[in-house]
Amino acid sequence: MAGLNGPLRSSGSSAYAHGSFVWRLLLVLTVLPMVLAIYAFILQWRGGLDDPASRWPVAEDRSFPGMGDSPLSVGGSSSLATSLLSTTAADCGEILRESSSSSFPYYRGWKLDFEADPRPKICITSSTSAGLEQILPWLFYHKIIGVTNFLLFVEGRAAKPSASAVLESIPGVKIIFRTRELEEKQANSRIWNEHWLAGFFYKPCNYELFVKQSLNMEMAIVMARDAGMDWIIHLDTDELIHPAGAQEYSLRQLLSDVPSNVDMVIFPNYESSIERDDIKDPFSEVSMFKKNYDHLPKDTYFSMYKEATRGNPNYFLTYGNGKSAARVQDHLRPNGAHRWHNYMKSPNEIKLEEAAVLHYTYTKFSDLTSRRDRCGCKPTKDDVKRCFMLDFDRDAFIIASTATEEEMLHWFRERVVWTNRQLNLKLLRKGILTRIYAPMAIIQSLRASGIFSSAITSANKLSSMENFQNKNSSVLATSVESQAHRKVLQIFETSEAALPALSPPGLNDLDLSS
């Protein structure tokens, strides 16, 4: 009997164990989802817990730029912006009202130092009299795309203490005032005593500016070389480099890819085509541009020429021969504001097929009167030729000097503003016009981050205006000293004249055979 009962007990015990295991497994599968749900609820519950995001100052809207009613889309305000506005120049008002240091805290303390030793090192030099509302967006935009140093020759509003103190406080920026000492030094410079620039001497307005720019560029070459720069670009503060075709929208990457035997890179210019007459901040409001002749099929350019000019003297309102970047090397010299040259050789140059310089010209109605106020020429066809190189500048000066404000506004809308949507769409389809949003997006995001107001706040920490003036004097002394130590070169006379601002090809230049 014992032998018969043994196996039966073993079988019953095994069945009992199996049933117990199944019951426990069902219990675990039932309880586990409940435990996970409770745990998830605890993780999402913020009551009484320290939320790291709450440590940042709270703004009215914490949305990222471009979302809903963020400061980017509707304009923000803060007590900080209001207080800063009262302590800085009036021309910074729009910047301070539209930026808040707490609107985008992830940029807090951003100094734009992406690499310890970025290569290639790129320097932009500019001669400017603009205010901070134009210079700061221009400057920080170019920092974003890879420019490392800026040499700013300042006059007018840019030279005022409230503006120059801010500019000099920004890392990588050197400012040079137009002092009597500087003018005397440049009057004895090499290019002043050569023939290639002589045709522009002793003429007012645009010609005078062209000579100043060339003299400043000569000094900037020396300063750029002493600072270890690899490339130098001359750019006005109404122009933005558009590094299309480069990886990650990087000017540094674009120039890194240039073959080592190339001395100069030409950026064809695109011209702003505004669609309203009430533009206040061109960099943030203008997205439509007219393409350069060099970036269009020749037959398209000439077949659409009359529709693209809209009764103006030329295809572009102002210049059409682009700007250039030069490799910093021995014997480099400027060749006017648009090109570089070399005393010892003809530079090997290439023209970029995608990248361009975006020229924001006549974007505001006030540009008509501001240009008029800078020149003392008579508003006659003969006299304006002494002042301006380009036909549209001459026409605009005469209108601004002789017409009423209502007549000027009518002329501005007819000749500058692109209000005909059907024509715009036609030219967009043909490729004459194009939409470019990257610079607008970058500058709007910078403004929303509060970086412009942060730059002004940092400048206010300077110990005193007297210390600032002393510091500026030392900067000028350094530049003069660098000029004095310039490597002595054998002088070569050249009959080639400086390359001035030139209009794009016109219908008289039509030659489809070449």
Side-chain angles (χ1 to χ4, degrees):
M1 295 293 292
L4 293 173
N5 291 335
L8 290 174
R9 285 195 198 96
S10 176
S11 176
S13 175
S14 175
Y16 174 79
H18 178 72
S20 177
F21 172 76
V22 172
W23 182 84
R24 288 177 183 176
L25 180 61
L26 291 174
L27 181 64
V28 169
L29 293 176
T30 303
V31 173
L32 182 60
M34 296 179 62
V35 172
L36 292 176
I38 294 171
Y39 182 64
F41 174 77
I42 292 173
L43 289 179
Q44 295 183 39
W45 178 61
R46 295 186 179 182
L49 295 181
D50 182 21
D51 177 12
S54 66
R55 296 173 189 167
W56 297 104
V58 179
E60 287 184 11
D61 193 327
R62 297 185 54 79
S63 300
F64 282 83
M67 294 176 59
D69 296 330
S70 69
L72 173 61
S73 58
V74 299
S77 61
S78 68
S79 58
L80 174 60
T82 304
S83 62
L84 286 173
L85 179 60
S86 63
T87 59
T88 54
D91 59 10
C92 304
E94 290 301 318
I95 292 175
L96 295 180
R97 280 196 292 272
E98 294 183 18
S99 64
S100 168
S101 60
S102 62
S103 64
F104 198 41
Y106 311 100
Y107 283 130
R108 186 178 299 278
W110 190 16
K111 296 186 182 299
L112 300 171
D113 296 327
F114 300 118
E115 301 176 34
D117 186 25
R119 289 291 176 179
K121 290 188 175 180
I122 305 168
C123 171
I124 285 181
T125 181
S126 184
S127 302
T128 182
S129 60
L132 289 180
E133 82 285 350
Q134 179 172 318
I135 297 177
L136 287 181
W138 173 86
L139 193 151
F140 280 104
Y141 167 83
H142 286 105
K143 273 183 171 283
I144 287 290
I145 65 172
V147 177
T148 51
N149 290 68
F150 298 82
L151 299 172
L152 304 183
F153 293 79
V154 296
E155 298 182 64
R157 289 191 296 161
K160 290 182 178 179
S162 58
S164 56
V166 172
L167 297 174
E168 193 173 45
S169 70
I170 300 172
V173 177
K174 294 286 186 183
I175 60 171
I176 304 94
F177 292 89
R178 188 149 199 88
T179 62
R180 182 180 297 274
E181 182 182 5
L182 178 65
E183 290 180 346
E184 290 174 354
K185 186 66 182 178
Q186 291 184 338
N188 294 308
S189 70
R190 179 171 180 172
I191 64 175
W192 181 265
N193 294 292
E194 294 176 345
H195 298 298
W196 60 271
L197 192 62
F200 300 87
F201 289 166
Y202 310 116
K203 293 180 181 179
C205 297
N206 278 14
Y207 290 93
E208 180 182 7
L209 174 61
F210 188 79
V211 171
K212 283 183 181 179
Q213 289 173 330
S214 300
L215 293 169
N216 292 343
M217 289 165 70
E218 182 185 40
M219 179 174 284
I221 291 171
V222 180
M223 299 174 71
R225 190 182 62 193
D226 291 347
M229 296 293 107
D230 299 300
W231 291 90
I232 185 169
I233 305 171
H234 175 258
L235 212 61
D236 296 327
T237 52
D238 64 350
E239 298 170 329
L240 299 178
I241 296 286
H242 174 53
Q247 185 178 3
E248 298 178 356
Y249 202 73
S250 168
L251 177 62
R252 189 179 301 159
Q253 184 63 53
L254 188 73
L255 295 179
S256 294
D257 295 337
V258 173
S260 59
N261 65 332
V262 172
D263 302 305
M264 183 167 64
V265 175
I266 298 173
F267 293 84
N269 63 294
Y270 291 6
E271 190 174 80
S272 59
S273 301
I274 61 172
E275 299 168 84
R276 308 193 326 264
D277 61 15
D278 60 347
I279 300 291
K280 291 184 171 59
D281 181 16
F283 293 152
S284 295
E285 298 179 56
V286 177
S287 64
M288 192 167 74
F289 296 86
K290 188 187 290 186
K291 280 189 176 181
N292 193 283
Y293 167 79
D294 289 320
H295 283 183
L296 288 169
K298 188 177 293 186
D299 56 347
T300 300
Y301 176 85
F302 285 111
S303 65
M304 303 298 296
Y305 186 87
K306 289 186 177 180
E307 289 175 283
T309 56
R310 301 187 308 145
N312 287 315
N314 296 296
Y315 174 78
F316 278 160
L317 301 182
T318 52
Y319 77 88
N321 52 331
K323 289 294 180 73
S324 58
R327 201 181 292 276
V328 177
Q329 55 187 300
D330 289 341
H331 317 301
L332 181 66
R333 72 161 172 86
N335 189 30
H338 297 259
R339 293 289 188 274
W340 307 87
H341 211 279
N342 193 292
Y343 283 108
M344 303 298 290
K345 64 179 181 179
S346 296
N348 180 23
E349 65 181 51
I350 61 171
K351 188 172 291 184
L352 297 174
E353 297 296 331
E354 294 183 75
V357 166
L358 306 180
H359 187 201
Y360 295 76
T361 186
Y362 287 100
T363 50
K364 296 185 288 187
F365 176 63
S366 59
D367 289 343
L368 286 179
T369 54
S370 63
R371 290 169 187 258
R372 175 199 66 194
D373 297 340
R374 290 198 302 265
C375 291
C377 294
K378 297 177 182 178
T380 63
K381 289 186 178 181
D382 291 333
D383 205 48
V384 292
K385 291 181 180 179
R386 295 190 310 111
C387 298
F388 302 100
M389 301 179 190
L390 301 172
D391 292 331
F392 187 86
D393 286 332
R394 296 168 182 170
D395 291 350
F397 181 83
I398 291 175
I399 287 293
S401 302
T402 59
T404 64
E405 184 168 350
E406 184 178 348
E407 290 170 336
M408 279 193 293
L409 184 58
H410 176 76
W411 184 88
F412 185 75
R413 287 170 176 165
E414 188 177 71
R415 305 286 291 276
V416 180
V417 185
W418 291 74
T419 56
N420 188 332
R421 293 190 177 184
Q422 290 184 337
L423 176 61
N424 296 353
L425 286 173
K426 181 179 180 180
L427 295 178
L428 282 166
R429 292 190 184 104
K430 291 288 186 178
I432 299 286
L433 297 177
T434 186
R435 294 281 183 186
I436 299 175
Y437 294 101
M440 173 190 293
I442 290 172
I443 290 174
Q444 286 177 343
S445 296
L446 285 169
R447 176 169 288 112
S449 77
I451 200 166
F452 302 147
S453 56
S454 295
I456 295 171
T457 302
S458 298
N460 289 337
K461 296 178 181 179
L462 290 175
S463 57
S464 66
M465 190 57 64
E466 181 176 330
N467 288 339
F468 166 71
Q469 294 291 353
N470 291 337
K471 189 174 183 181
N472 171 69
S473 298
S474 68
V475 170
L476 181 58
T478 301
S479 67
V480 173
E481 183 180 358
S482 298
Q483 183 76 7
H485 286 88
R486 181 173 182 172
K487 182 178 179 180
V488 178
L489 304 174
Q490 181 181 358
I491 296 179
F492 289 86
E493 293 295 334
T494 175
S495 59
E496 182 180 353
L499 184 68
L502 298 175
S503 297
L507 290 179
N508 294 333
D509 303 306
L510 178 61
D511 181 10
L512 297 178
S513 61
S514 60

